[in-house]
Amino acid sequence: MWRKRRFRQEAIAGYLFVAPNLIGFLVFQLIPIVAAVGLSFTAWDLINDPQWVGLANYRTLLKDPVFRLSLQKTFLFVIINVPLQSVLALIIAVLLNQNIRFQNLLRTLFIVPWVSMSVAVGLTWTWIFNSQFGIINQILQRLGMQRIPWLASQDWALPSVIAVNIWQYLGFHIIVFLTGLQLIPREVTEAAIVDGASAWTRFWRITIPLVSPILFYDLIVNMIGTFQIFDLPFAMTNGGPGNATRVYNLYLYQKGFQFLRMGEATAMAVILFLLIVATSVLFFRIIGRRINYDIT
Amino acid sequence: MSRAAHSLMRVFLYALVFLILFVYLFPLIWQFSTSIKHLDEVFRGFNIFPAQPMWENYQVAWSSFKVGRYLLNTVIVACTVTLGQIICCSMAGYAFARLRFPGRDAIFYLYLATMMIPSTVTLIPSYIIVLELGLVDSISGLILPFIFGSALGTFLVRQYLMSIPGDLEDAAKIDGAGYFTIWTRVMLPMSKPALATTAVMTLVSQWNSLVWPLIVIQSDRWKVLSVGLADFRLYRNIQWNTMMAAVVTATLPMIIILFMAQRFFIQGIQFSGMNK
């Protein structure tokens, strides 16, 4: 009897402690997720009542050339950004892992861009990329080269924004890799040195296999994040010139909050989710099974 | 390898690391440098240190472009949400780690499952909920969706509490302490490292948050710094040095906090980079 009461009390306490968190989760996470699927089958401008339209939003999107363009830009963004960022971060992490002093200070300095507001970072780079007075073009000019209209050109705008994105989040990935590298047992590296393995051999035979699970994780997390890129293109080019940097979420935002097509915008969100799931599954299938999971 | 060759390698390594670091941080150095330059100097030359530092640029940014007002809103939102997250995640983390109640694990796994869902999916429905609650264009609309805690924070606290033995808790129980006392006296102090990490991650994401304030706020009064800065693209009469002064105002507070709480930032990255 006493135990039973005690058990009930504990359960009540448990629910009370979880309550604020759970309410927030239900109202702003679970219900929106379910509602998103429903909303994507409606036409709604926020003013009149939503109308059930079935799959019409999805059909409209598939025929929309700007939608297809934004999809293409986003894929390009992911394909260029993710591998370049991870490889660069891995190289720097390996350098920092060579018994370098001031390790903590260096790690912290490398994540300064990551804690900086994306809009602020975007504006800073808009200045650096400025066609007339930006420092990059001034240097190019001094070197006797032609100026490049970085953000104002159809060809250069997307690569420029991608470069800034790689720059901003590089430190984040360096930290992830450094953590992985520090998990490699010292004896393994030392044994290889005794056996006469060169730094190059050690990198390919020890470092890469042993950090491969973290590399794989990092690529997945990075990919999911990059599919949702918004802040930098919004701050730097707002999708332009033309549609050169109109990434998926930028177009979704415009559809929803400028053209007030809530149904279509939600359908875009659902499609993005499915694309992310599909790409992740594909990634797991192709690379995931070749990863060596026992770090010993 | 001979000793001389070895030290030469070390020198080369240090030189390389510091060169990479300088190039990497140059955009931020240039940003600050531009923010204290006279307009004449902005448009020519490569000097990092201006002949005469113009701190007045900050005054112009603050008074003519409402940077002060936006900053205040950002501070209010980021601090309130962070405080709420610490309390709610700590409470929930304690319950998930230490209390037994029906459905506990099911709820927790539901949390974990939804962590993978991109925030884009919940954006429009969340906006509609805030709209129905009548909180659009108010500071509460910025705070409410995030104040109840996050799955990541709850997860961090739970894992942390599960990794430490329950001696203190048992001692408190024998002394007749209730659940609330155990939470405030034992769990809250014990889970400090996990809470610090949660706090730091929340602070950064709220300080830098753009999409949500962009859609929820229309009036100038409640605009946060990220949205206010984004508006600068539309102004024709703003100069680069003034803009960079505003940009430094937006980034500097987080950089200072980063240097004060390095350890927790690193931990936050390690968790979000590996457990997502």
Side-chain angles (χ1 to χ4, degrees):
Chain A
M1 200 52 203
W2 185 80
R3 274 194 72 164
K4 210 171 170 188
R5 227 185 85 194
R6 159 123 207 131
F7 193 74
R8 241 183 63 192
Q9 268 188 344
E10 188 174 334
I12 292 170
Y15 288 125
L16 285 178
F17 273 105
V18 173
N21 200 270
L22 189 62
I23 291 170
F25 172 77
L26 288 177
V27 177
F28 293 106
Q29 187 76 14
L30 200 62
I31 293 174
I33 289 169
V34 177
V37 179
L39 268 175
S40 75
F41 298 118
T42 64
W44 195 15
D45 57 3
L46 286 181
I47 301 153
N48 304 298
D49 285 340
Q51 298 280 316
W52 184 267
V53 293
L55 288 169
N57 289 330
Y58 292 91
R59 255 180 263 134
T60 316
L61 284 174
L62 290 179
K63 273 183 274 174
D64 178 351
V66 184
F67 170 80
R68 267 184 272 168
L69 206 64
S70 74
L71 203 58
Q72 184 201 336
K73 300 290 175 196
T74 305
F75 267 109
L76 255 175
F77 209 115
V78 172
I79 289 167
I80 299 171
N81 179 78
V82 174
L84 258 179
Q85 202 165 36
S86 287
V87 168
L88 271 175
L90 185 60
I91 292 172
I92 296 176
V94 168
L95 279 179
L96 289 181
N97 199 37
Q98 305 297 315
N99 256 329
I100 287 213
R101 293 170 70 186
F102 320 113
Q103 183 87 226
N104 283 332
L105 177 68
L106 288 172
R107 280 200 304 188
T108 308
L109 284 171
F110 271 108
I111 50 175
V112 168
W114 172 68
V115 300
S116 301
M117 189 183 280
S118 285
V119 180
V121 163
L123 290 180
T124 305
W125 280 90
T126 318
W127 165 227
I128 290 170
F129 278 138
N130 185 279
S131 307
Q132 245 187 314
F133 304 108
I135 182 144
I136 297 183
N137 274 350
Q138 289 209 37
I139 293 172
L140 287 183
Q141 207 178 10
R142 280 283 170 92
L143 296 173
M145 285 191 266
Q146 199 119 67
R147 291 172 174 190
I148 296 170
W150 302 100
L151 297 174
S153 114
Q154 287 277 349
D155 299 327
W156 285 100
L158 189 67
S160 305
V161 178
I162 295 175
V164 177
N165 191 64
I166 292 177
W167 176 81
Q168 197 187 356
Y169 298 102
L170 194 65
F172 179 96
H173 300 283
I174 292 174
I175 301 294
V176 170
F177 288 133
L178 258 176
T179 312
L181 289 171
Q182 276 151 8
L183 290 175
I184 297 177
R186 205 152 276 260
E187 306 88 67
V188 178
T189 320
E190 275 162 9
I193 294 174
V194 171
D195 289 348
S198 67
W200 185 250
T201 316
R202 291 201 307 270
F203 178 75
W204 287 107
R205 293 291 171 81
I206 297 173
T207 310
I208 289 292
L210 289 184
V211 293
S212 63
I214 285 163
L215 181 62
F216 179 64
Y217 250 127
D218 185 73
L219 288 171
I220 289 259
V221 172
N222 196 350
M223 184 199 80
I224 295 174
T226 311
F227 263 117
Q228 301 180 70
I229 182 84
F230 175 85
D231 295 15
L232 278 178
F234 177 80
M236 294 177 72
T237 52
N238 201 13
N243 286 316
T245 55
R246 200 163 311 279
V247 291
Y248 200 90
N249 268 5
L250 202 53
Y251 190 49
L252 187 155
Y253 161 76
Q254 287 166 330
K255 258 220 176 343
F257 297 95
Q258 285 175 5
F259 312 137
L260 292 180
R261 291 163 175 262
M262 291 297 161
E264 264 178 63
T266 320
M268 277 188 78
V270 174
I271 294 174
L272 182 68
F273 172 63
L274 295 176
L275 276 174
I276 289 175
V277 171
T279 321
S280 305
V281 169
L282 202 71
F283 206 64
F284 267 103
R285 280 276 165 82
I286 296 171
I287 302 176
R289 50 178 59 166
R290 295 186 194 165
I291 302 286
N292 165 29
Y293 281 105
D294 18 86
I295 299 189
T296 37
Chain B
M1 213 187 302
S2 76
R3 219 171 167 159
H6 184 74
S7 4
L8 199 68
M9 275 292 285
R10 297 298 296 175
V11 170
F12 178 70
L13 189 66
Y14 275 92
L16 186 63
V17 166
F18 281 95
L19 178 72
I20 291 173
L21 195 67
F22 177 75
V23 173
Y24 189 64
L25 293 181
F26 183 78
L28 299 176
I29 298 167
W30 195 242
Q31 160 198 319
F32 179 69
S33 160
T34 305
S35 81
I36 51 168
K37 274 181 184 167
H38 190 274
L39 205 55
D40 292 339
E41 225 173 336
V42 166
F43 291 119
R44 60 185 158 73
F46 301 107
N47 53 330
I48 288 174
F49 301 102
Q52 184 96 53
M54 289 266 297
W55 298 102
E56 298 92 302
N57 293 338
Y58 283 81
Q59 216 181 334
V60 175
W62 279 57
S63 57
S64 322
F65 297 98
K66 293 193 193 147
V67 168
R69 172 84 231 180
Y70 301 150
L71 181 68
L72 183 69
N73 289 336
T74 296
V75 169
I76 294 173
V77 173
C79 292
T80 317
V81 169
T82 304
L83 195 68
Q85 288 246 357
I86 290 174
I87 295 169
C88 296
C89 290
S90 158
M91 283 169 65
Y94 163 47
F96 281 125
R98 292 296 168 97
L99 301 176
R100 280 158 303 174
F101 53 93
R104 181 187 70 178
D105 294 341
I107 298 173
F108 188 70
Y109 288 129
L110 195 63
Y111 272 37
L112 290 190
T114 58
M115 261 167 93
M116 319 270 183
I117 292 177
S119 56
T120 312
V121 173
T122 56
L123 184 71
I124 290 170
S126 295
Y127 173 77
I128 290 162
I129 289 170
V130 167
L131 185 73
E132 293 293 323
L133 291 172
L135 297 177
V136 161
D137 207 21
S138 77
I139 204 149
S140 319
L142 293 181
I143 294 171
L144 197 73
F146 307 100
I147 199 170
F148 297 112
S150 60
L152 180 70
T154 308
F155 176 78
L156 276 175
V157 177
R158 175 186 180 265
Q159 298 310 96
Y160 190 78
L161 288 178
M162 282 175 80
S163 71
I164 42 186
D167 303 359
L168 268 172
E169 187 189 355
D170 293 340
K173 265 187 195 157
I174 290 163
D175 288 348
Y179 294 107
F180 189 77
T181 316
I182 292 180
W183 174 58
T184 50
R185 293 287 164 79
V186 182
M187 294 302 163
L188 211 51
M190 239 178 10
S191 49
K192 245 188 223 156
L195 288 177
T197 306
T198 308
V200 150
M201 296 302 273
T202 311
L203 207 56
V204 173
S205 74
Q206 284 299 315
W207 188 276
N208 299 338
S209 154
L210 174 66
V211 184
W212 186 253
L214 196 63
I215 63 175
V216 169
I217 301 299
Q218 282 109 42
S219 59
D220 219 29
R221 219 180 131 200
W222 299 120
K223 265 183 193 165
V224 292
L225 207 41
S226 57
V227 178
L229 281 187
D231 284 350
F232 283 1
R233 298 168 314 173
L234 315 171
Y235 297 167
R236 286 272 160 258
N237 60 340
I238 190 164
Q239 297 296 351
W240 287 111
N241 51 2
T242 321
M243 194 194 270
M244 288 305 119
V247 160
V248 171
T249 310
T251 51
L252 199 59
M254 277 305 113
I255 297 175
I256 293 170
I257 292 173
L258 167 68
F259 275 92
M260 289 188 331
Q262 303 177 22
R263 190 156 68 89
F264 301 114
F265 277 88
I266 305 279
Q267 256 165 32
I269 293 178
Q270 289 168 343
F271 264 102
S272 57
M274 276 172 236
N275 283 309
K276 229 174 194 168

